[in-house]
Amino acid sequence: MMLSWKQLILLSFIGCLGGELLLQGPVFIREPSNSIFPVGSEDKKVTLNCEARGNPSPHYRWQLNGSDIDLSMEYRYKLNGGNLVVLNPNRNWDTGSYQCFATNSLGTIVSREAKLQFAYLENFKTKMRSTVSVREGQGVVLLCGPPPHSGELSYAWIFNEYPSFVEEDSRRFISQETGHLYIAKVEPSDVGNYTCVVTSTVTNARVLGSPTPLVLRSDGVMGEYEPKIEVQFPETLPAAKGSTVKLECFALGNPIPQINWRRSDGLPFSSKIKSRKFNGVLEIPNFQQEDAGSYECLAENSRGKNVARGRLTYYAKPQWVQLIKDVEIAVEDNLYWECRASGKPKPSYRWLKNGEALVLEERIQIENGALTISNLNVTDSGMFQCIAENKHGLVYSSAELKVVAAAPDFSKTPMKKLIQVQVGSMVSLDCKPRASPRALSSWKKGDAIVQENERISFLKGGGLKIANVTKADVGTYTCIAENQFGKANGTTYLVVTEPTRITLAPSNMDVSVGESVILPCQVQHDPLLDIMFTWYFNGALTDFKKDGSHFEKVGGSSSGDLMIRNIQLKHSGKYVCMVQTGVDSVSSAADLIVRGSPGPPENVKVDEITDTTAQLSWKEGTDNHSPVISYSVQARTPFSVGWQTATTVPEVPPSEVSGGGGSRSELVITWDPVPEELQNGEGFGYVVAFRPLGVTNWIQTVVTSPDTPRYVFRNESIMPFSLYEVKVGVYNNKGEGPFSPVTTVFSAEEEPTVAPSQVSANSLSSSEIEVSWNAVPWKLSNGHLLGYEVRYWNNGGEEELSSKVKVAGNETSARLRGLKSNLAYYTAVRAYNSAGTGPFSDTVNATTKKTPPSQPPGNVVWNATDTKVLLNWEQVKAMENESEVTGYKVFYRTSSQSNVQVLNTNKTSAELLLPIKEDYIIEVKATTDGGDGTSSEQIRIPRITNMDARGSTSAISNVHSMSNYIPIVLFFIVNALW
């Protein structure tokens, strides 16, 4: 019984608000499958399975060939749960397609179709068969002609009497398609009676036909003839995906034909394809799309050959690629449900609702298998099925659509009671109540409504985002969620804390065995937060209980200092202090190097012994972070008292091993040569060993000169600016000595390959030009860019005799100074590093300005009061070879100051508001593009003692400087120059 829409709304409310009733539409657990009933079987019933789960429990009905089955006919049908039991099956009434319908209050689903077929095999008609008369050597076909039947059959032939069956070979073939017996070339031994035996593979029933006599004609023997193919496969044969395909081919002929198979496209057979029955059958298991195509059967003997051809086409029943799944969705929302299936030919789609074809309308549409329903309402709820079908079969996918209507409810998705964040961070407050349709959300902080601003924004899902959090944001936030069915509130308390900072971090330390050290780790943190300190040693968490004899945490509540007592070599490594709160975490690391006594020398050997000496050699042991300074050799004899120090002559390795630089593809290794007094014999030289960082094997070479301080290895395979490990050892005629400690050096850099771009030159004055450019692209892996070289020459000079200026690598401009005036200069720029210089840029040019006027401003006249000074001077006129005057500069200072103030003006007068409380010294210069001109004579304006004073240019010969700086506020009024 289907529920009304009001009942559905009520159930929806119950399901959403309480969840007490876990309602579920029907879902098939078992569906009926195709069945074949053997006619005459002792079992007098057929059971078609159907079982579905659901809440409420489903009830069932069945259809046969699209019509409801009357289950009240108890003498014919019985319902066992959902299973349909057909009593006393009859092939005339009960053959066909069955479907099971499972229904509960939420809807109905339909099972896949299951076909019920009846297998039977009738007897042959009892009539004699005609005698078949052939010549010896002739081919013959004996027909079987099976009786009426249903279900798959197999065929065999009896020769003369049972149980003498015909054995198949290259000459005799029984077709399992037609049942006929084919003899390619009749021999005298073939004469006799042949009986066709037909067996039902379903019922195992067997029937025998009437014997067919085979006799030889007396009019001679058949001569040789070319093959004639009698058994061949269809011109077009559809084959299902995954099936086993058997192609038959047999030919009559004299001599007996040889059968072979091939693909028409020439491709070889895959390994799964097998030949059976002396090549009379080609078997293709697990048929796939790549097996489709044209196949040929070739029958050949000495008289000729014949070919039969046929095409296998691939088809596949629909198979699901994307099933539909149960959907719970709010009223007024839109539904998009997509189902997709593969198959060949491409499947088409149709939809059912509650077991019936879905009725389309304006808001319910189907396109390419996808179902869309807009503006959902509760009456749209139900069981839906998508059916994908092609001519070879169909598949069903079922799912339930629940359209729900419910007021907002936070019980299943409550808001967080407390959220802690740092000052300056961003926080999102979630508000995700269950509601159908989706609720609209608003927010309050305390009793105040929250408004959006540059820091506060409302999220699409109903949440609230606060950026750049401050202490003022602390408080209780309430989300009010509402839809047409009601409203609900949820609250979160926001706590804002200061970020945790390490105020005293551990630093790298270098200590000796046995010392005790403290690695500090002190923090400043928000008092509202609990804090926890943890230490990691070489990536592993420090266990203070296990390592308590050495490790101890010390300090107060805001300190996690680590004390290491009686430090040992094993304590060398990286220490990390991790500070964690409920909001954030910070860490700081330090490297601790523990130095100790060296380990024992290894592989000590006595190489040569004389009456008074012994030659010893050994390998360096571990130095424990302290380079070995010297070795002490002790000896004893049976006559000595204990060990005694022996007299030795050390043979030392080179010191200051280093390197780097050089030209491209070079590795330069340098060292300080060993003094002659430490060479310990003739034939002294060096063994230079090097290898790329990370490589195991060393490359070694010998330098025979004891005074040589460097070795250069050249090879095109050397990558520029790559790290190499190097060491330098010594040897003499007595053998090899020790190596220096391993150090790392860089191979030569690669010189720059790109010229600077956007080079420009700009004349600044009569003697200066500024050149600027864009930096060349450079990677740190290529080495260090040392700088740029700027080459320049004038119009009358030669490029080869040009001058050069260098600037650092971070500079992109340079000033060329000391140039001649009013002259064109050409310039180009290139980058350089330790490997050399790169290509020059394009050449650019600029012309220096003309020289400034040599004439100074003349007749400087001043008029002063106690608050201001009025200046006037004569105009400066430039000569033809001088730069035009663009303005004037007034330089002034007090007589007690060395700091000069400057006033710029384009007039020949200026008014300065100056407190005339001491003497002032003033001079005037003309300004031009070529620089400042000659200064006027200095004038001194004495401290004003009366109301007014006047004066003109006078020589100032004695000006005393002071370090004090007197700020002056300037105002000027200038008169017209012309």
Side-chain angles (χ1 to χ4, degrees):
M1 191 73 180
M2 299 299 294
L3 298 181
S4 69
W5 69 270
K6 292 183 179 179
Q7 291 172 312
L8 285 171
I9 290 180
L10 178 60
L11 288 174
S12 178
F13 269 116
I14 293 174
C16 290
L17 296 177
E20 294 86 355
L21 297 179
L22 300 177
L23 300 178
Q24 182 185 30
V27 178
F28 281 121
I29 301 173
R30 290 192 300 167
E31 297 185 63
S33 56
N34 295 337
S35 297
I36 299 178
F37 181 76
V39 175
S41 171
E42 294 181 358
D43 192 357
K44 299 301 181 182
K45 62 184 179 181
V46 174
T47 300
L48 299 174
N49 295 320
C50 182
E51 183 181 359
R53 67 171 181 267
N55 188 13
S57 297
H59 59 271
Y60 304 89
R61 62 185 176 91
W62 285 80
Q63 284 189 351
L64 170 60
N65 297 328
S67 299
D68 287 340
I69 293 176
D70 186 357
L71 296 176
S72 65
M73 301 171 63
E74 296 183 354
Y75 65 93
R76 290 200 57 209
Y77 303 107
K78 176 182 171 184
L79 200 59
N80 184 4
N83 300 335
L84 176 66
V85 182
V86 182
L87 304 174
N88 300 312
N90 185 287
R91 75 184 189 191
N92 295 320
W93 302 333
D94 298 322
T95 300
S97 295
Y98 289 76
Q99 281 185 290
C100 173
F101 291 72
T103 303
N104 68 7
S105 58
L106 297 179
T108 299
I109 55 174
V110 184
S111 74
R112 67 189 175 206
E113 293 182 354
K115 292 184 179 180
L116 176 60
Q117 296 176 309
F118 289 80
Y120 61 91
L121 177 61
E122 297 182 1
N123 291 318
F124 281 95
K125 293 180 180 179
T126 56
K127 69 175 183 178
M128 296 299 295
R129 298 198 177 196
S130 303
T131 299
V132 176
S133 178
V134 296
R135 291 190 181 95
E136 181 183 347
Q138 185 179 355
V140 69
V141 180
L142 302 181
L143 305 181
C144 178
H149 64 278
S150 176
E152 188 176 348
L153 302 178
S154 66
Y155 300 92
W157 284 79
I158 296 174
F159 179 54
N160 288 330
E161 294 182 356
Y162 179 84
S164 177
F165 286 93
V166 174
E167 292 187 4
E168 296 179 86
D169 52 24
S170 61
R171 193 171 65 85
R172 291 170 294 191
F173 181 81
I174 299 172
S175 170
Q176 295 303 315
E177 296 292 334
T178 64
H180 303 334
L181 170 62
Y182 300 83
I183 303 177
K185 174 189 173 185
V186 175
E187 298 178 353
S189 60
D190 294 327
V191 173
N193 292 321
Y194 291 83
T195 302
C196 181
V197 182
V198 182
T199 303
S200 170
T201 60
V202 179
T203 66
N204 290 324
R206 176 186 294 177
V207 295
L208 279 66
S210 299
T212 300
L214 177 65
V215 300
L216 291 178
R217 291 171 55 174
S218 58
D219 56 352
V221 177
M222 185 74 172
E224 292 183 353
Y225 64 96
E226 67 181 14
K228 179 184 179 185
I229 296 178
E230 289 289 344
V231 180
Q232 65 184 71
F233 47 96
E235 289 185 3
T236 302
L237 179 63
K241 175 184 178 182
S243 65
T244 297
V245 178
K246 295 181 179 179
L247 304 180
E248 293 185 339
C249 183
F250 193 76
L252 310 182
N254 186 10
I256 299 170
Q258 176 68 39
I259 303 296
N260 288 295
W261 296 86
R262 67 189 180 195
R263 289 185 62 125
S264 301
D265 55 16
L267 294 175
F269 287 150
S270 64
S271 59
K272 69 178 180 181
I273 298 179
K274 307 295 182 183
S275 294
R276 310 288 187 196
K277 297 173 67 170
F278 298 90
N279 277 10
V281 175
L282 185 70
E283 185 176 292
I284 309 174
N286 189 25
F287 189 83
Q288 299 296 322
Q289 179 128 21
E290 59 268 20
D291 299 319
S294 180
Y295 287 75
E296 296 181 355
C297 167
L298 179 66
E300 187 174 10
N301 62 13
S302 60
R303 304 299 297 180
K305 60 184 177 181
N306 205 346
V307 178
R309 296 180 178 87
R311 175 172 294 276
L312 293 180
T313 59
Y314 170 87
Y315 74 85
K317 298 178 181 179
Q319 287 186 316
W320 285 120
V321 175
Q322 180 175 336
L323 297 165
I324 57 173
K325 296 181 180 179
D326 293 346
V327 173
E328 183 176 301
I329 195 167
V331 293
E332 300 178 0
D333 277 355
N334 299 325
L335 170 70
Y336 179 82
W337 236 346
E338 183 181 16
C339 60
R340 285 189 291 116
S342 62
K344 188 171 183 183
K346 185 178 180 180
S348 60
Y349 302 89
R350 53 190 172 94
W351 285 75
L352 306 179
K353 179 184 178 184
N354 294 328
E356 298 181 356
L358 181 63
V359 178
L360 302 182
E361 54 185 81
E362 183 177 352
R363 67 185 187 90
I364 302 176
Q365 297 293 324
I366 299 174
E367 184 176 355
N368 296 327
L371 170 65
T372 56
I373 305 177
S374 59
N375 193 25
L376 286 162
N377 57 63
V378 290
T379 60
D380 293 319
S381 297
M383 297 303 301
F384 286 75
Q385 291 177 283
C386 176
I387 303 174
E389 58 186 328
N390 62 18
K391 64 181 181 181
H392 301 292
L394 70 167
V395 288
Y396 290 72
S397 177
S398 306
E400 180 183 357
L401 171 62
K402 287 184 180 178
V403 182
V404 293
D409 176 26
F410 285 95
S411 62
K412 295 293 190 294
T413 55
M415 294 174 62
K416 290 183 179 179
K417 298 298 183 185
L418 178 70
I419 295 179
Q420 293 180 325
V421 295
Q422 286 184 19
V423 170
S425 64
M426 186 274 291
V427 65
S428 293
L429 309 182
D430 288 336
C431 179
K432 297 179 179 179
R434 297 184 64 176
S436 300
R438 191 176 70 182
L440 298 178
S441 300
S442 60
W443 286 83
K444 285 185 177 181
K445 180 189 176 188
D447 294 328
I449 296 175
V450 177
Q451 303 287 348
E452 282 192 301
N453 56 37
E454 66 275 4
R455 289 196 310 114
I456 299 176
S457 57
F458 299 129
L459 301 176
K460 187 177 181 181
L464 179 68
K465 182 171 76 173
I466 306 175
N468 194 19
V469 174
T470 68
K471 288 282 190 177
D473 296 319
V474 172
T476 299
Y477 290 80
T478 302
C479 175
I480 302 99
E482 183 175 7
N483 66 10
Q484 61 263 46
F485 298 108
K487 69 167 63 175
N489 297 340
T491 60
T492 291
Y493 188 78
L494 180 63
V495 175
V496 181
T497 61
E498 294 291 341
T500 305
R501 295 183 178 90
I502 295 180
T503 56
L504 182 58
S507 58
N508 298 339
M509 299 186 72
D510 194 321
V511 298
S512 298
V513 169
E515 293 183 21
S516 295
V517 298
I518 292 180
L519 296 177
C521 187
Q522 298 177 15
V523 300
Q524 176 183 342
H525 66 97
D526 195 290
L528 294 177
L529 298 176
D530 293 328
I531 194 165
M532 181 176 69
F533 293 89
T534 52
W535 281 88
Y536 292 85
F537 172 48
N538 290 336
L541 181 65
T542 301
D543 188 339
F544 287 92
K545 292 183 179 179
K546 181 179 178 181
D547 298 322
S549 60
H550 292 287
F551 293 132
E552 181 184 355
K553 248 192 248 183
V554 296
S557 61
S558 296
S559 175
D561 297 351
L562 174 65
M563 173 180 280
I564 310 176
R565 293 191 178 91
N566 188 21
I567 204 161
Q568 300 298 309
L569 291 170
K570 66 180 180 180
H571 295 138
S572 288
K574 181 181 288 293
Y575 290 80
V576 178
C577 175
M578 177 73 72
V579 186
Q580 293 175 298
T581 69
V583 177
D584 61 353
S585 65
V586 290
S587 64
S588 183
D591 290 320
L592 182 63
I593 297 176
V594 181
R595 303 187 187 276
S597 301
E602 300 174 355
N603 296 341
V604 179
K605 295 179 182 179
V606 179
D607 297 323
E608 296 181 15
I609 300 178
T610 69
D611 293 340
T612 58
T613 65
Q615 178 77 34
L616 297 181
S617 66
W618 59 85
K619 289 186 178 180
E620 294 181 2
T622 56
D623 64 7
N624 294 328
H625 304 292
S626 293
V628 175
I629 300 173
S630 63
Y631 290 92
S632 174
V633 180
Q634 294 181 327
R636 72 178 180 181
T637 71
F639 310 103
S640 63
V641 179
W643 292 95
Q644 296 182 2
T645 301
T647 302
T648 63
V649 180
E651 189 178 300
V652 298
S655 60
E656 301 300 326
V657 176
S658 184
S663 301
R664 184 196 295 189
S665 301
E666 288 185 350
L667 175 65
V668 179
I669 303 170
T670 60
W671 61 88
D672 284 352
V674 175
E676 184 177 358
E677 63 271 17
L678 297 179
Q679 295 176 6
N680 199 28
E682 299 295 325
F684 184 86
Y686 302 98
V687 179
V688 181
F690 53 92
R691 64 186 178 188
L693 187 65
V695 175
T696 303
N697 297 327
W698 291 91
I699 301 171
Q700 289 191 353
T701 188
V702 172
V703 178
T704 58
S705 173
D707 299 326
T708 300
R710 70 197 302 262
Y711 170 74
V712 179
F713 175 67
R714 297 180 179 87
N715 193 294
E716 292 296 328
S717 65
I718 295 179
M719 299 298 293
F721 206 62
S722 300
L723 268 177
Y724 279 75
E725 290 183 315
V726 301
K727 59 182 179 178
V728 182
V730 292
Y731 71 95
N732 61 17
N733 290 340
K734 293 295 185 179
E736 292 188 4
F739 276 93
S740 67
V742 175
T743 188
T744 55
V745 300
F746 282 97
S747 62
E749 302 174 3
E750 183 179 19
E751 65 271 13
T753 57
V754 179
S757 60
Q758 302 294 320
V759 179
S760 63
N762 181 33
S763 176
L764 300 180
S765 68
S766 60
S767 61
E768 291 185 342
I769 290 177
E770 184 174 62
V771 182
S772 60
W773 57 89
N774 285 352
V776 297
W778 194 258
K779 295 181 180 177
L780 189 58
S781 59
N782 292 339
H784 301 292
L785 182 66
L786 295 181
Y788 296 92
E789 179 183 284
V790 182
R791 182 179 63 171
Y792 62 98
W793 64 98
N794 61 39
N795 196 21
E798 296 181 0
E799 183 176 350
E800 292 74 13
L801 302 177
S802 59
S803 300
K804 297 175 183 177
V805 172
K806 288 187 176 181
V807 295
N810 59 351
E811 299 288 339
T812 55
S813 65
R815 285 199 177 185
L816 311 181
R817 293 182 169 88
L819 307 179
K820 296 179 180 180
S821 63
N822 197 24
L823 189 61
Y825 280 85
Y826 296 87
T827 182
V829 186
R830 64 181 176 183
Y832 70 92
N833 62 6
S834 64
T837 56
F840 272 111
S841 68
D842 293 338
T843 301
V844 297
N845 66 81
T847 302
T848 53
K849 309 289 186 181
K850 294 180 181 180
T851 57
S854 58
Q855 175 192 351
N859 195 21
V860 179
V861 178
W862 57 271
N863 187 7
T865 68
D866 58 347
T867 59
K868 62 183 178 181
V869 175
L870 180 63
L871 298 173
N872 287 276
W873 57 88
E874 292 180 349
Q875 175 188 355
V876 175
K877 294 184 178 181
M879 301 179 68
E880 185 177 349
N881 62 344
E882 294 176 336
S883 295
E884 291 294 329
V885 175
T886 58
Y888 297 91
K889 291 181 180 178
V890 180
F891 299 85
Y892 57 95
R893 63 179 174 85
T894 64
S895 59
S896 62
Q897 264 189 317
S898 60
N899 295 326
V900 178
Q901 306 292 317
V902 181
L903 171 67
N904 289 293
T905 178
N906 59 357
K907 309 299 182 182
T908 58
S909 62
E911 184 176 285
L912 310 180
L913 296 181
L914 302 174
I916 309 300
K917 296 180 180 178
E918 56 181 307
D919 294 354
Y920 276 88
I921 299 171
I922 297 176
E923 60 184 61
V924 182
K925 293 182 181 180
T927 60
T928 70
D929 289 341
D932 291 346
T934 305
S935 174
S936 69
E937 292 184 2
Q938 289 183 342
I939 62 172
R940 178 189 292 269
I941 301 177
R943 179 169 60 89
I944 302 301
T945 57
N946 54 15
M947 294 300 293
D948 197 8
R950 292 180 176 84
S952 61
T953 306
S954 62
I956 307 295
S957 60
N958 188 17
V959 178
H960 301 280
S961 62
M962 292 181 65
S963 60
N964 294 335
Y965 170 73
I966 302 175
I968 301 174
V969 180
L970 308 179
F971 299 91
F972 65 91
I973 302 172
V974 295
N975 296 321
L977 182 59
W978 316 117

